[in-house]
Amino acid sequence: MSPTIPVSEDTKATLADLKDDGETWDAFLARFARRDRDVESLGGFASAGIEESMQDTHERLNDSFAENIGDE
């Protein structure tokens, strides 16, 4: 017998939007579970300070965009 996982209709609808056409619920849930685990296992790939570097880059890009828009 297959296990039953109770979820609300809203949750099922949200999950159904993420599920690929023709994909079984079992395949979808297995893919979804692996995705979360794979992301967590990548946590150590970045060097220390990556968040600050990303923020600096973001700010430089914003400044650059603002300068380009102002030159029109």
Side-chain angles (χ1 to χ4, degrees):
M1 179 174 179
S2 298
T4 301
I5 303 170
V7 296
S8 70
E9 288 298 320
D10 289 340
T11 298
K12 184 177 179 183
T14 300
L15 291 172
D17 288 340
L18 299 172
K19 187 172 151 292
D20 293 335
D21 290 338
E23 186 176 32
T24 66
W25 281 105
D26 186 60
F28 164 74
L29 291 171
R31 177 174 57 86
F32 197 74
R34 280 191 312 274
R35 183 192 71 188
D36 288 347
R37 196 170 322 129
D38 291 344
V39 169
E40 288 179 12
S41 70
L42 294 174
F45 79 96
S47 61
I50 191 73
E51 291 179 34
E52 292 83 6
S53 176
M54 289 174 66
Q55 182 63 36
D56 291 343
T57 301
H58 180 76
E59 289 171 8
R60 285 195 313 274
L61 280 170
N62 282 344
D63 292 344
S64 175
F65 290 145
E67 288 173 13
N68 289 333
I69 291 171
D71 288 340
E72 291 182 349

